[in-house]
Amino acid sequence: MRQLTDIRSVLFDLDGTLVDSRGTILASVAHAVEALGLDPDTAPDVGALIGMPLLDIFTGPFGMPHELAHRAIDLYRDYYDALNQEGTTVYEGVRDGLAALGDAGYGLYIATVKPTPIATKVLADLGLIKHFDGVAGASMGPERRDKTRIIAHAVSEFGLEPGHCMMVGDRDQDIEGARANGMMSVAVSWGFGHADELSAADPDHSAGDFHEIPHLLAGTG
């Protein structure tokens, strides 16, 4: 059975785990919907969808055909980029916690449904990029957008050993993606996932505060 002492690398989800991006995401979705001439009042509760790939959001709950969904994604990304993280904040304890993990010798990586260049920009804008050894995100197209494939991409891209890795995230897809790739998982309670969702995903560990993560790995949590 794997132990926490086996962990050498920690992968983090981005939205809902390191940063509260609700304001930026909701504003960008609203802009895309309105720019397409759709009634924003008829839109689904986007807050509950944060963490899903954009294509799945626009083709699923919004019911857009693929061509229209891709137009919505382009509008979303242009507006999101122009906001320069306005409406996004770093969760309490993240900066100190990442620094502590780095000082302890852990390799730190991002595994997010955001496309890699966008995720890298977010991390740079918020002053977090210095903590990470690599960023693995979705492809700009539809080829790699689910979390299981993104985690697998991180493993391949950065030469990681899954048995020595731990995935930290706020949604069931993070926990399930970790399991599918042979990794240990930690579910965090402060993000966009609901308690029932995370419980059903059956994570190896849970955290209610970011400081619990370095304490967990140090054996003091």
Side-chain angles (χ1 to χ4, degrees):
M1 182 177 178
R2 290 173 301 171
Q3 304 294 324
L4 286 166
T5 52
D6 295 330
I7 301 302
R8 300 288 180 268
S9 301
V10 186
L11 288 75
F12 290 94
D13 174 52
L14 182 54
D15 297 307
T17 300
L18 301 181
V19 302
D20 183 352
S21 51
R22 181 182 297 268
T24 314
I25 291 172
L26 295 185
S28 300
V29 170
H31 169 77
V33 170
E34 292 178 21
L36 291 173
L38 304 176
D39 183 357
D41 292 334
T42 63
D45 178 11
V46 179
L49 307 176
I50 295 176
M52 289 176 58
L54 286 174
L55 185 61
D56 292 347
I57 290 175
F58 287 126
T59 59
F62 279 91
M64 295 182 185
H66 273 69
E67 182 178 353
L68 187 62
H70 283 294
R71 287 175 57 196
I73 290 171
D74 289 341
L75 289 163
Y76 172 100
R77 287 176 177 166
D78 287 345
Y79 194 77
Y80 187 100
D81 188 57
L83 286 175
N84 287 318
Q85 314 324 314
E86 180 182 342
T88 295
T89 59
V90 179
Y91 285 115
E92 183 179 355
V94 166
R95 297 184 192 277
D96 290 344
L98 292 175
L101 290 169
D103 289 344
Y106 292 98
L108 304 181
Y109 302 88
I110 291 290
T112 174
V113 297
K114 270 185 167 51
T116 302
I118 296 175
T120 301
K121 183 180 186 302
V122 170
L123 292 164
D125 288 345
L126 296 173
L128 296 176
I129 192 68
K130 64 184 179 182
H131 297 293
F132 292 95
D133 299 289
V135 178
S139 54
M140 292 298 285
E143 298 83 12
R144 184 183 68 248
R145 68 178 194 271
D146 68 89
K147 187 54 72 76
T148 295
R149 290 187 181 184
I150 290 166
I151 295 173
H153 174 67
V155 169
S156 174
E157 185 75 6
F158 306 125
L160 305 179
E161 298 179 62
H164 294 292
C165 293
M166 184 170 75
M167 177 72 204
V168 180
D170 69 311
R171 299 300 304 263
D172 54 3
Q173 63 181 358
D174 299 307
I175 309 309
E176 293 161 0
R179 184 180 300 111
N181 282 281
M183 293 184 184
M184 192 175 288
S185 62
V186 177
V188 304
S189 63
W190 58 81
F192 303 126
H194 296 293
D196 290 346
E197 170 190 336
L198 293 171
S199 177
D202 193 25
D204 295 299
H205 301 278
S206 298
D209 181 286
F210 197 89
H211 291 106
E212 293 179 23
I213 297 168
H215 292 164
L216 179 70
L217 287 166
T220 58

